[in-house]
Amino acid sequence: MTLVDALRIVNARAPNATRRRFTLACGFTPLHLKTFLAAQLTDRTVSERIDVDVGVFGDVSGTLQKLLDNPSDGVAVPLEWSDLDARLGWRSTHGWRSDCTADILSSVRLRLRQLTELLTALARRTSVAVSLPTLPLPPMFPPPRGQSAPAALELRSLVFDFAEGLASSSDVRLVDSEQLEMLSPRHSRHDVAGDLRTGFPYRLEHSVTLANALAGLLRPAAPLKGLITDLDNTLWSGIVGEDGVDGVSWDLDHKTHAHAIYQEMLASLSELGVLIGVASKNDPNIAQQSLQRDDLVVPRESLFPIEANWGAKSESVRRILQTWNIKADSVLFLDDSPIELAEVAAGVPGIHCRKFPAGDAEAILGLVGELRDLFGKTTVTHEDKLRVRSLRDSGAVPPTATDPEEFLRQAEAEITLKWNAPDERCFELINKTNQFNLNGLRLDAASWRRRLSDPKAFLLAVRYADKYAPLGNVSVLAGRWRDGLPWIDVWVLSCRAFSRRIEHQVLQACFERLGCDRVLLDYQPTDRNAPIGELLAGLVESELNQPITLTRSAFNSRCPSLYAKVLSHDSPNENRIAA
């Protein structure tokens, strides 16, 4: 991205678009970094206009302190050594004396403690992204530059301890320094002339890379949900139909260990709750025998479903998507054959396709890194671990349950309602659920935190389990009181929980617990949320106007039989559910 490109992106949005305010809290002159950050954030939004404010030159702590009282929608904090002590920068003098070292170290410790407190507190109110110093320390220590200086090592240790503390005990997101160095080599970062002349220390290339890293943490892309992999020359090296079950390999002895690394990544992604399926043109019996080998790195139970047949791969992929009940644009398909990739791309619109670079170990390792970027998650919820198990178990419905009503009656379902007890799963469900979504609303971290701090807001999280499988948290409903009535503008239900009348239980809980005879629902049709539209159309007494008014009497007269046992867990903020 060039500076001209960045300016074009920033200025392209209509002046009347929804405005979002971000803050660049840096101690140096922001100059081009501000422009690139605004462009990168704008690129990650659909229709919003991004404004980036800057703090006071040389006073990162002061800027953060002011933001505690008036937080923006996100804060980017690119720290440099001079922010920890001005004597560690290039614009200061009289700091390279040996008798200053102890005082500098003491000053840095104090400043890092202060920054820890400010950043931790601010991250409770909005999204915060921090990068550690990206520029080298000046040559201010006695040894030659090829030898490590104890003071320099201690400074770096203090910064790493500071970063580890933030990453493990707060909501602050940190740019990975190692990844940043791969994308922006250290020797090409510092603009010495610009630093001394204007106070802006970065070359343009480094500004682009750093802005992209910070924007990616403030506005992260939604991770993909599922991966469908080929077998031959992908999951393993070789063609099992020709080489035999014992003839395919993924080990060091056969020089095919890169395939084992790929399997290791699949195993890791499965632990995050990513769905891993198989689509292979193969004899199904031979494929299953190969997947039972004891030395398989990815656990066999993590692969579901297995589509091994001689039909078109697009048909196999469509069946897998139907089993998972997710959209194609949330899934990545991997195959070593360009022909198969083209056939799937044409037959399954929206799916992401990547060629598996069989025979190229370095390219396979590059692909493995890309998979982490596409599927990686900051946190792993209990529901993530349940996902594959619940999908498998949902297929084990007994013959007596072929009648839907009888299935619900004998399912021994249990629904747990949790009021005003937000967790990571609630935020995740809101931002990834499409089919049963009241209006398609997406919330960033800052909006989510503001909503939770509103004394007029309410939140309901719903957990479901039956005798076939626990599904964990499957539904979230949220809103606020307006003029004595509950206004619901967030309601989602996981596609795994369809057809179990959980949605009816949620509405009944609202009427009973909120103590009202009417609820207002901010329903907006989207190209995907037909299921919730059909539900509401069957409950309300009139057309689906905005907002929808659903009365208790209309709901009671149209609600089907409900069989689940309902439990309610109250949070300490129980009083917030009253008007």
Side-chain angles (χ1 to χ4, degrees):
M1 177 184 292
T2 66
L3 188 57
V4 173
D5 293 333
L7 290 170
R8 177 181 52 78
I9 292 170
V10 170
N11 295 324
R13 293 294 160 87
N16 59 350
T18 302
R19 304 183 83 94
R20 294 291 184 185
R21 183 173 66 91
F22 288 78
T23 303
L24 177 59
C26 60
F28 50 82
T29 303
L31 207 60
H32 304 316
L33 184 63
K34 173 186 174 181
T35 304
F36 286 124
L37 180 63
Q40 296 284 3
L41 289 169
T42 301
D43 245 1
R44 288 168 167 77
T45 65
V46 177
S47 58
E48 296 172 339
R49 187 174 181 87
I50 302 297
D51 295 324
V52 175
D53 301 331
V54 296
V56 179
F57 180 86
D59 190 10
V60 172
S61 297
T63 300
L64 297 177
Q65 185 68 55
K66 292 179 181 178
L67 285 169
L68 287 175
D69 298 324
N70 184 26
S72 56
D73 291 293
V75 183
V77 189
L79 293 174
E80 291 299 343
W81 291 109
S82 56
D83 295 318
L84 308 183
D85 190 297
R87 292 168 289 185
L88 297 176
W90 293 86
R91 296 171 63 85
S92 176
T93 55
H94 303 294
W96 294 11
R97 314 295 195 272
S98 59
D99 58 354
C100 294
T101 302
D103 186 61
I104 289 175
L105 288 169
S106 176
S107 172
V108 170
R109 291 190 192 95
L110 181 63
R111 181 57 57 86
L112 289 175
R113 284 197 294 270
Q114 180 187 40
L115 287 172
T116 297
E117 294 175 2
L118 290 170
L119 291 168
T120 300
L122 187 59
R124 299 191 190 105
R125 294 166 170 80
T126 189
S127 300
V128 178
V130 175
S131 63
L132 303 182
T134 65
L135 301 179
L137 284 164
M140 58 187 295
F141 306 107
R145 289 184 299 171
Q147 178 181 339
S148 294
L153 291 173
E154 185 168 355
L155 281 170
R156 295 187 181 100
S157 177
L158 290 172
V159 168
F160 286 134
D161 288 344
F162 157 78
E164 191 278 331
L166 284 178
S168 61
S169 62
S170 76
D171 293 322
V172 176
R173 299 166 182 169
L174 286 109
V175 173
D176 184 78
S177 297
E178 184 175 333
Q179 178 70 8
L180 185 66
E181 186 143 7
M182 292 176 62
L183 299 173
S184 178
R186 191 171 293 269
H187 68 272
S188 64
R189 298 177 176 181
H190 193 195
D191 181 359
V192 178
D195 193 357
L196 299 180
R197 185 175 61 250
T198 67
F200 183 65
Y202 300 147
R203 296 184 183 180
L204 284 181
E205 296 83 356
H206 183 55
S207 300
V208 173
T209 305
L210 183 58
N212 185 51
L214 291 166
L217 297 183
L218 293 175
R219 284 288 178 92
L224 297 183
K225 300 177 184 179
L227 184 152
I228 301 174
T229 181
D230 182 31
L231 294 179
D232 293 334
N233 287 322
T234 303
L235 193 71
W236 52 61
S237 176
I239 301 175
V240 69
E242 298 177 1
D243 302 325
V245 172
D246 296 325
V248 294
S249 63
W250 51 86
D251 55 46
L252 292 170
D253 291 341
H254 291 87
K255 297 181 175 58
T256 56
H257 187 70
H259 293 267
I261 295 174
Y262 172 60
Q263 290 186 30
E264 184 70 54
M265 175 54 73
L266 296 186
S268 176
L269 295 181
S270 177
E271 289 187 343
L272 298 182
V274 176
L275 302 170
I276 311 293
V278 170
S280 174
K281 283 188 176 179
N282 250 310
D283 181 291
N285 294 325
I286 295 177
Q288 290 288 354
Q289 291 175 35
S290 301
L291 292 171
Q292 297 300 326
R293 277 181 45 170
D294 294 336
D295 56 343
L296 199 70
V297 179
V298 56
R300 171 61 183 82
E301 59 272 16
S302 298
L303 305 175
F304 178 79
I306 308 295
E307 284 283 341
N309 52 65
W310 298 110
K313 283 198 177 177
S314 59
E315 295 178 1
S316 294
V317 168
R318 282 195 292 268
R319 283 192 293 270
I320 292 172
L321 295 179
Q322 184 176 13
T323 299
W324 289 346
N325 196 19
I326 60 178
K327 295 292 186 179
D329 59 6
S330 297
V331 174
L332 176 69
F333 173 62
L334 277 163
D335 198 297
D336 67 299
S337 169
I339 295 176
E340 299 292 1
L341 290 168
E343 192 270 331
V344 169
V348 188
I351 195 167
H352 304 270
C353 294
R354 292 289 189 281
K355 183 179 184 299
F356 189 88
D360 187 340
E362 185 171 347
I364 292 175
L365 298 191
L367 172 66
V368 166
E370 184 183 3
L371 294 181
R372 181 62 71 189
D373 294 338
L374 292 171
F375 292 94
K377 295 183 179 180
T378 303
T379 57
V380 183
T381 65
H382 176 65
E383 286 72 24
D384 292 328
K385 297 179 180 294
L386 284 176
R387 190 161 294 127
V388 175
R389 175 187 165 189
S390 65
L391 280 169
R392 287 179 178 277
D393 292 349
S394 64
V397 179
T400 55
T402 53
D403 171 35
E405 199 72 21
E406 180 62 22
F407 167 74
L408 292 171
R409 199 183 343 265
Q410 67 173 357
E412 300 175 16
E414 184 174 283
I415 292 174
T416 302
L417 309 174
K418 294 175 63 178
W419 289 95
N420 300 317
D423 57 24
E424 187 68 24
R425 173 63 173 169
C426 293
F427 185 57
E428 180 186 82
L429 264 178
I430 291 170
N431 284 302
K432 78 174 190 177
T433 303
N434 294 304
Q435 296 177 72
F436 195 102
N437 186 317
L438 187 62
N439 46 37
L441 179 67
R442 296 293 192 241
L443 297 173
D444 58 25
S447 301
W448 177 241
R449 291 186 179 95
R450 284 197 298 271
R451 173 184 289 270
L452 297 178
S453 64
D454 185 347
K456 293 184 178 181
F458 53 86
L459 172 72
L460 172 61
V462 182
R463 181 180 293 272
Y464 177 89
D466 57 31
K467 70 179 183 180
Y468 305 112
L471 299 186
N473 284 347
V474 296
S475 185
V476 178
L477 179 144
R480 65 193 304 272
W481 288 92
R482 287 188 180 180
D483 302 323
L485 287 175
W487 171 281
I488 298 168
D489 62 343
V490 171
W491 187 17
V492 296
L493 175 69
S494 170
C495 58
R496 296 182 296 136
F498 282 4
S499 305
R500 308 192 193 203
R501 296 182 185 165
I502 298 170
E503 56 271 37
H504 298 88
Q505 298 277 12
V506 170
L507 289 172
Q508 180 168 280
C510 287
F511 284 118
E512 294 179 354
R513 194 56 185 277
L514 298 178
C516 56
D517 292 324
R518 287 184 297 156
V519 296
L520 303 179
L521 296 113
D522 183 22
Y523 168 71
Q524 302 286 341
T526 71
D527 59 351
R528 296 190 180 186
N529 70 350
I532 195 169
E534 293 170 1
L535 168 75
L536 295 174
L539 292 175
V540 300
E541 297 172 313
S542 58
E543 298 294 323
L544 295 184
N545 300 316
Q546 284 84 27
I548 291 175
T549 300
L550 178 61
T551 65
R552 187 196 289 254
S553 60
F555 172 77
N556 289 339
S557 66
R558 293 167 171 81
C559 181
S561 299
L562 304 178
Y563 304 103
K565 177 182 178 181
V566 179
L567 306 175
S568 183
H569 289 182
D570 300 326
S571 81
N573 295 321
E574 176 188 353
N575 60 312
R576 288 177 53 191
I577 68 172

